[in-house]
Amino acid sequence: MKKVINALAACAMLAMAAPQTATAQESENNYRFVMVSHIGSNDPNMKWLTLSLEEFEKKYPNVKTEYISTNNYSVQEHVRLLEQVIATKPDGIAVPIVSTDAFEVPLRKAIEQGIPVVAFNIPDPRPEGERIPYLTYVGGDEYLTGKKLGEYALSRADLPAPKRVVCATHDSAHQGLKARCAGMKDAMEAAGAEFEELFISAEPATARNTLQSYLQANPDTNYIFTVASWSAPWAWGVANDMGLSPDVDDKGVTIITVDASPVALAGIKAGHVLATNSQGFWLQGYAPMEWLYWKHELGYEPQSDILTGPIVVDIENIDHWEGLVRNIFGDAYDEQNTW
Amino acid sequence: MLKSEIKRLVRRHTEIGILVISLCLVLLFTLTSEGRWANAYNIGTILQVTATLGLMTLGVALVIGTGEIDISVGSTFGIGALIYLWFAVRIDPVFAALLAIGAGALIGAFNGILVTRTKTPSLIITLGSLMIFRGLAIALTDGFSFSVPYKERDGFSYSVLGGTEFLGINTGFYWLVAGLAVLLIALKMTPWGNRLLAVGGSAASAHSRGVRVERIKLSAFIVCGVLAAFAGTLEASKLGFADGSMGRLMELQAIAACVLGGCVLAGGRISLPGAVLGAFVLSSVQSYLVVTGVRPQWFIFLLGLIVVFAALGDRTLRRWSLKN
């Protein structure tokens, strides 16, 4: 409830600040904001972020935005990129807190140097006062993402009751992915199911082999939660090859995934995936830039985190979401359908 | 007269080429990055990256000097980082570092014994150990990570092992300078150094003169493992974090740095300062691309292109020096 109130408060602040944007646009100050992301060009979600930055630049021509990212989910490389970006003394940084322990030193240094920081996509999970003193967090609640998707699966009476649920993760250090798994775990264990988290890696062949071994060793597994949408077809392919009936029906394995990406939506439409979520990726690119801008121009500091999701996407609302996402991805929508 | 003196200098010192390239790149990056590249903070970051990559590169250079190659150093780096961080929260970090270094020595010995006893090409053996120890790193962590909170990393032991800065430079860099000095002395002023290069120049000839070729090669692999694991320790101490992916692809950067620095892959001729400069060039190029906002899609491509041009530039300089 507190989170909902916080989100509403943040939205109210956004609405109150909106009339000020005309003033802000007339500013003669030039700014450079950098998004240092873990979402690289091998992840379709990058498109949401880069497109939202382009839109932001159209609205604020006096701001130059840059998108820097790792392509291999390496905290070691991500921290190095972050430090190099700090060295360029940008006017603002947006960064996901992939690992609190690894990111705390460089981010505190940046903040001490007067560079405003907004966390996006993954927050520092510690309570306020202990956490890295960034301006605000803009993104989904990863725990709620897992929990809501789990509860949605349980609410469907036409599906098999969960016996064993595996959460397949590709990034061992990603705090957000761990939180997604934790949310799913709480929902499923409350219904009496066994739950396990499995590291499959981001490399397709390794991921398939790992999943296949797991399913062979644990034949009672009947739900697979892939915490990235692009790994959902791998999970479906492995289960299908093993004859485990992975489509959405009253038998076999059921697959749940995340993100309103073309591959997740196409999976739902084809009956391969039960549900996914939207965590408002477009807003996660745009809103941090806007808050950084308002911090400089008007001194605004959000008083709470800004939640941009989750919303469950299933077969009922798939057509609506497909239209929206096609508008963002254009021709790339069909190219990214790997089913 | 001056021209012939310069040519003689280039011929005698293999690191001259990479030194010229480094200076040209530093000048280019300084002039074209509007102060984003050439500032104290960024240079400090580059030197930190150079420290860990450089230590690894020194070890690889020694193995290359014997006419062999070690492409498992990225995995050794990862194992070193994991062992260090797992123990650092349980015992004093200095002892944790010693355990990590010990593990590196064992991996080096594993590679060296297999290469020298079975006569299997070192490329094959170390390719296998690259996968074995990467797999072990992932298995040991069960796919997850070790970390130490920021507030618990303020002790002297963490600081001296790359966890903080001294005079604006990460303490890991001072370890690189010390490692370079020790190895230069060992290479230039001890019988071991002479024998190492003799083995790389011609193993048969060295053997005929009483050099125990297998023992020298084994020692080079062990030193290489020690340096890679120690580099991993310094990186883990700085980040307070280690996972199974630590050091991934660093083996290729280390080999590229050696080649850029004037090491001949066939063995017999290496330059340790050149190899460190090669590591500096790679770190600098990577940093330049980041600070100039190059899109991630082009990052690896441009880095590779610059490495190829730098290597060609070095080769051209050498050819010029050999012309009468």
Side-chain angles (χ1 to χ4, degrees):
Chain A
M1 191 62 192
K2 192 182 167 211
K3 283 181 174 169
V4 174
I5 291 168
N6 285 344
L8 288 172
C11 290
M13 272 201 82
L14 275 164
M16 281 161 61
Q20 307 279 353
T21 45
T23 316
Q25 277 177 281
E26 287 160 16
S27 168
E28 288 182 357
N29 296 321
N30 291 317
Y31 300 106
R32 186 172 66 89
F33 299 148
V34 186
M35 182 165 267
V36 191
S37 177
H38 61 311
I39 298 169
S41 53
N42 53 343
D43 188 330
N45 286 319
M46 189 181 98
K47 191 91 173 169
W48 290 101
L49 300 169
T50 52
L51 284 173
S52 66
L53 296 189
E54 282 171 22
E55 283 303 311
F56 183 83
E57 283 188 342
K58 282 180 201 165
K59 189 174 177 189
Y60 298 96
N62 58 327
V63 179
K64 185 179 183 316
T65 63
E66 289 173 15
Y67 187 87
I68 304 278
S69 71
T70 65
N71 257 24
N72 53 12
Y73 303 104
S74 159
V75 169
Q76 184 190 358
E77 191 180 325
H78 199 173
V79 171
R80 192 172 69 211
L81 291 180
L82 177 63
E83 289 188 324
Q84 286 166 348
V85 165
I86 293 168
T88 68
K89 297 186 170 58
D91 299 300
I93 293 174
V95 62
I97 315 296
V98 177
S99 162
T100 306
D101 295 331
F103 282 62
E104 183 149 17
V105 173
L107 284 178
R108 281 188 185 274
K109 271 188 191 169
I111 293 163
E112 280 166 19
Q113 287 177 29
I115 302 171
V117 172
V118 172
F120 81 96
N121 194 252
I122 311 164
D124 181 341
R126 296 172 299 180
E128 212 164 334
E130 283 178 39
R131 75 183 194 181
I132 300 165
Y134 49 67
L135 273 182
T136 188
Y137 164 69
V138 178
D141 182 312
E142 303 291 14
Y143 174 81
L144 281 182
T145 295
K147 194 157 191 284
K148 293 277 177 197
L149 284 167
E151 286 169 353
Y152 170 79
L154 293 169
S155 73
R156 288 276 301 262
D158 54 328
L159 297 175
K163 290 180 198 157
R164 174 180 286 273
V165 182
V166 61
C167 183
T169 179
H170 59 277
D171 183 351
S172 59
H174 191 314
Q175 292 176 158
L177 302 188
K178 288 179 185 171
R180 285 177 192 173
C181 290
M184 178 64 76
K185 180 176 191 275
D186 287 354
M188 290 298 192
E189 282 186 346
E194 295 284 319
F195 183 92
E196 204 160 346
E197 203 172 332
L198 178 71
F199 174 65
I200 58 168
S201 98
E203 198 275 313
T206 311
R208 283 173 192 269
N209 285 342
T210 309
L211 265 171
Q212 186 171 342
S213 303
Y214 182 85
L215 292 175
Q216 269 169 350
N218 299 279
D220 56 336
T221 306
N222 64 345
Y223 278 82
I224 303 173
F225 178 38
T226 68
V227 290
S229 57
W230 38 262
S231 56
W234 305 346
W236 184 88
V238 168
N240 194 47
D241 290 347
M242 294 173 74
L244 298 176
S245 179
D247 280 340
V248 179
D249 51 27
D250 58 355
K251 60 183 183 299
V253 167
T254 302
I255 292 167
I256 305 168
T257 192
V258 291
D259 294 337
S261 65
V263 71
L265 301 186
I268 291 172
K269 202 156 189 182
H272 301 323
V273 172
L274 172 66
T276 187
N277 78 306
S278 168
Q279 55 167 300
F281 256 119
W282 197 91
L283 272 177
Q284 290 182 26
Y286 193 91
M289 299 294 126
E290 198 140 61
W291 280 108
L292 288 171
Y293 188 83
W294 289 343
K295 166 71 179 165
H296 278 286
E297 287 286 309
L298 304 160
Y300 276 138
E301 290 192 7
Q303 297 303 303
S304 67
D305 288 347
I306 298 160
L307 294 188
T308 57
I311 293 167
V312 174
V313 181
D314 65 358
I315 197 70
E316 296 297 322
N317 56 7
I318 187 68
D319 291 333
H320 172 67
W321 276 94
E322 187 184 1
L324 282 173
V325 177
R326 273 189 188 279
N327 277 341
I328 293 288
F329 283 80
D331 294 340
Y333 184 97
D334 292 315
E335 289 162 16
Q336 291 193 6
N337 180 1
T338 54
W339 292 99
Chain B
M1 187 65 183
L2 179 68
K3 196 174 165 185
S4 62
E5 273 300 303
I6 294 173
K7 282 188 174 183
R8 198 172 62 83
L9 205 65
V10 172
R11 278 198 303 271
R12 286 190 62 182
H13 298 280
T14 52
E15 59 273 8
I16 293 282
I18 191 69
L19 184 63
V20 172
I21 289 166
S22 303
L23 292 173
C24 290
L25 287 178
V26 165
L27 195 66
L28 176 75
F29 293 168
T30 305
L31 294 176
T32 59
S33 63
E34 298 167 347
R36 288 192 204 168
W37 187 84
N39 62 68
Y41 190 96
N42 194 44
I43 298 296
T45 305
I46 292 170
L47 292 182
Q48 189 276 323
V49 177
T50 304
T52 49
L53 179 60
L55 277 167
M56 183 190 279
T57 302
L58 285 174
V60 174
L62 289 178
V63 174
I64 286 175
T66 67
E68 302 291 348
I69 197 153
D70 187 346
I71 61 167
S72 68
V73 283
S75 299
T76 311
F77 179 99
I79 289 282
L82 287 169
I83 289 177
Y84 167 72
L85 219 54
W86 194 83
F87 280 108
V89 292
R90 293 166 172 84
I91 56 176
D92 188 275
V94 171
F95 293 113
L98 290 174
L99 288 171
I101 289 167
L106 287 176
I107 295 172
F110 174 80
N111 286 332
I113 289 168
L114 283 178
V115 169
T116 54
R117 296 282 163 85
T118 66
K119 310 291 181 198
T120 308
S122 50
L123 183 70
I124 307 294
I125 294 292
T126 56
L127 176 66
S129 51
L130 171 82
M131 292 190 274
I132 289 170
F133 294 108
R134 175 66 62 212
L136 195 61
I138 292 169
L140 275 176
T141 55
D142 200 16
F144 298 97
S145 56
F146 300 155
S147 65
V148 182
Y150 160 68
K151 285 178 183 165
E152 293 171 24
R153 303 201 308 262
D154 56 358
F156 176 76
S157 301
Y158 276 112
S159 304
V160 84
L161 287 167
T164 190
E165 290 169 356
F166 178 65
L167 301 177
I169 298 171
N170 184 275
T171 49
F173 186 73
Y174 299 99
W175 284 105
L176 172 66
V177 174
L180 176 63
V182 168
L183 287 176
L184 268 179
I185 291 168
L187 200 65
K188 304 277 184 190
M189 298 169 76
T190 67
W192 177 79
N194 287 333
R195 288 169 191 158
L196 186 132
L197 294 176
V199 165
S202 169
S205 171
H207 182 68
S208 71
R209 287 167 187 267
V211 175
R212 299 180 73 170
V213 173
E214 292 182 357
R215 188 172 286 189
I216 291 292
K217 286 188 177 181
L218 177 62
S219 68
F221 274 105
I222 291 173
V223 174
C224 183
V226 163
L227 289 171
F230 185 52
T233 298
L234 296 177
E235 185 79 10
S237 196
K238 180 197 175 278
L239 291 176
F241 171 93
D243 66 5
S245 75
M246 291 276 285
R248 193 167 51 194
L249 295 180
M250 280 182 78
E251 56 278 346
L252 297 181
Q253 291 180 42
I255 293 166
C258 286
V259 173
L260 282 174
C263 301
V264 176
L265 284 176
R269 196 184 76 181
I270 58 170
S271 166
L272 298 182
V276 170
L277 276 173
F280 172 76
V281 164
L282 290 183
S283 313
S284 302
V285 168
Q286 192 265 349
S287 161
Y288 179 73
L289 295 177
V290 173
V291 301
T292 49
V294 171
R295 273 288 170 98
Q297 293 92 319
W298 294 101
F299 191 78
I300 300 290
F301 169 77
L302 285 173
L303 189 63
L305 210 60
I306 291 168
V307 168
V308 168
F309 275 116
L312 287 177
D314 181 52
R315 198 171 181 78
T316 308
L317 190 71
R318 276 181 214 289
R319 281 188 178 161
W320 171 79
S321 73
L322 292 169
K323 274 186 188 169
N324 289 322

